Amino acid sequence: MTERRHRKVWVHHVVVSVRSLETRLAVAEAQGLGPDQRAAAAGVRRLLDKARDAAKGLDPKPGPLSDWWGGALVESAYQNLHAAKVQMIDVYDDAELAAEIPEAAARAHQTLHRDDPRRHGTDRLGTRSLALQRAILRHTVEDSYDAMDRQHERLRSFRNIVLLTAMFIAVLVGITAAAVWANPGIMPLCFPADGQPGDPVLNCPTASNVTSASSGDIFVVGLLGLLGGALAAAMSIRNLRGTSSPYDVPIALAWLKVPLGAFTAILGLVAIQGEFVPGLSSLDSQQQILAYALLLGFAQQVFTHSLDVRAQSLLEALPGKDAASPPSATATAIASAPEQPAVPHASPAAAPAQVNPSVPTQMTPSNGAAAIDLAQQVPDYQPPPIDLTADDNDVVQDDESVPAPNVPAGDHR
């Protein structure tokens, strides 16, 4: 069992990461550590040993099925590895600490929500004291790795739900096939040869122009439904993004689509027999029955498309070194950049002088342009004369009159 476990990709990733951190830890110890750094280094070594043991299946030791279903070894290995990386913040010297800031900021922007205040914990970190830099960076790295672990747990839960649904449908299809095989009359999948109900001559999935249904009809329909589901699974997997996650979500979706294709093929032919589809109540030949069984098996993609979208969103949410979301300015800025001096605020502009509308106002530009006489450009508004003899109920003005103030030009009411 240990040899098979070592062939898994995530095991190699954890082992290589552990060796890399052990090398960096040895370099830091060779350069000299303080008392607090030596205590942190001891904790890092314990966490790395735990991560290696989990990757090799030594501690914990769950059963093969429970490990595959619950991901005990995967979660234990990565959580210990992430905790060791968090504690390494207290071991780094000043240069290593400054080099860690861009990567930590980029990881925070990939894993944390854009409205999460922890996402901006590394903003202007280079202007703070060294002790505060370590504390903020340690919490930022810890929160980012914790978010990554939660995303992988959601992915594993989604895979388990899909597999449970696939197993339930497969068992249900198997029970239905066994019952119909024992008594084909309880779910006949044959159609009248002339399209008229009551015709003794039938077209069935296994033969044409027969007088009774066969036990093999349900298996032929189920097999074609499986083929249609497999075709839909192949077409949907090509649209999913590849991932290095240990949880094979695309394979789980394929396992769901195949038995679901048989399920929809059987139910679809039953629905056609019951005239559930308007204008389609009979199939004319054996070949047509087989073609509809294949098409109905592929049609389960209508129901599972939302699962494909959900799987794609979960896979895209997993952070990686090739993430599409660009890092913030903090991730690309120099960690030790000095704080920029404050820019003095300009004094508020003086309030404009009051203008007497009865006195013409001229504006003389500084570039020598001609002055603008506002009194000539904007004429004074003269309200229309009021006819006191007009009827009070007549509120409509003539087309040649001036529109009333605050009334649109097209509405003179």
Side-chain angles (χ1 to χ4, degrees):
M1 184 65 185
T2 304
E3 295 296 332
R4 293 176 57 189
R5 190 183 310 280
H6 285 176
R7 290 198 296 265
K8 295 182 179 180
V9 176
W10 69 268
V11 175
H12 295 284
H13 180 264
V14 171
V15 172
V16 171
S17 299
V18 168
R19 291 174 180 173
S20 176
L21 284 178
E22 286 178 341
T23 303
R24 297 173 66 182
L25 189 60
V27 172
E29 291 176 342
Q31 293 175 349
L33 300 177
D36 54 342
Q37 291 178 316
R38 287 195 296 269
V44 170
R45 289 195 179 278
R46 288 193 297 267
L47 293 171
L48 293 178
D49 291 338
K50 286 287 187 180
R52 183 189 293 106
D53 292 342
K56 293 182 178 181
L58 302 177
D59 183 29
K61 292 184 178 181
L65 183 59
S66 60
D67 174 40
W68 173 78
W69 185 262
L73 293 178
V74 177
E75 299 299 332
S76 177
Y78 275 104
Q79 288 180 8
N80 282 284
L81 179 62
H82 293 164
K85 291 182 178 181
V86 171
Q87 298 304 320
M88 280 292 295
I89 301 296
D90 292 328
V91 182
Y92 290 148
D93 56 9
D94 298 352
E96 288 287 343
L97 188 69
E100 187 70 19
I101 293 177
E103 182 180 354
R107 189 186 304 110
H109 278 258
Q110 293 176 14
T111 56
L112 301 178
H113 193 268
R114 62 177 179 271
D115 297 330
D116 195 331
R118 298 175 300 175
R119 184 178 181 180
H120 308 284
T122 56
D123 290 349
R124 305 193 64 83
L125 192 59
T127 61
R128 306 177 186 273
S129 63
L130 186 60
L132 187 57
Q133 285 185 26
R134 291 186 187 276
I136 294 177
L137 188 61
R138 182 173 60 250
H139 284 284
T140 301
V141 174
E142 183 178 8
D143 294 337
S144 301
Y145 279 130
D146 183 69
M148 289 175 58
D149 294 336
R150 301 292 84 76
Q151 289 175 359
H152 280 86
E153 289 178 2
R154 286 192 294 268
L155 188 65
R156 186 187 71 250
S157 176
F158 177 80
R159 182 208 63 178
N160 292 347
I161 293 174
V162 171
L163 288 176
L164 279 177
T165 306
M167 288 187 290
F168 175 76
I169 293 176
V171 170
L172 189 60
V173 170
I175 294 175
T176 303
V180 176
W181 177 81
N183 187 5
I186 62 175
M187 188 184 291
L189 299 175
C190 301
F191 295 85
D194 59 354
Q196 299 296 327
D199 187 6
V201 181
L202 302 175
N203 289 327
C204 298
T206 54
S208 298
N209 299 323
V210 295
T211 57
S212 63
S214 171
S215 299
D217 292 341
I218 186 69
F219 292 105
V220 172
V221 173
L223 177 61
L224 288 174
L226 290 175
L227 294 178
L231 178 61
M235 295 183 64
S236 62
I237 287 178
R238 67 183 178 88
N239 296 324
L240 290 177
R241 173 192 174 190
T243 177
S244 58
S245 172
Y247 308 116
D248 299 322
V249 173
I251 296 178
L253 287 173
W255 280 107
L256 173 64
K257 292 173 185 292
V258 173
L260 188 59
F263 187 75
T264 54
I266 295 172
L267 293 185
L269 290 180
V270 173
I272 293 175
Q273 276 194 341
E275 300 182 1
F276 182 78
V277 181
L280 183 62
S281 59
S282 179
L283 301 181
D284 300 330
S285 63
Q286 176 192 7
Q287 291 77 14
Q288 194 173 11
I289 296 175
L290 299 180
Y292 266 88
L294 180 64
L295 180 62
L296 290 170
F298 181 82
Q300 51 80 35
Q301 182 66 20
V302 176
F303 307 101
T304 58
H305 176 69
S306 60
L307 295 178
D308 295 337
V309 175
R310 176 59 177 167
Q312 184 67 34
S313 63
L314 289 174
L315 292 176
E316 290 178 351
L318 296 177
K321 293 184 180 298
D322 57 345
S325 57
S328 64
T330 305
T332 56
I334 300 176
S336 60
E339 186 175 0
Q340 298 295 332
V343 179
H345 296 283
S347 59
Q354 298 294 329
V355 179
N356 189 355
S358 62
V359 179
T361 304
Q362 293 184 350
M363 297 178 61
T364 305
S366 58
N367 57 357
I372 301 176
D373 190 357
L374 296 180
Q376 296 178 2
Q377 297 292 333
V378 183
D380 294 337
Y381 171 75
Q382 298 295 334
I386 301 176
D387 188 4
L388 299 178
T389 63
D391 189 3
D392 293 338
N393 295 325
D394 187 9
V395 294
V396 180
Q397 299 179 357
D398 297 333
D399 292 338
E400 297 179 355
S401 62
V402 181
N406 300 326
V407 176
D411 188 3
H412 288 184
R413 292 179 295 176

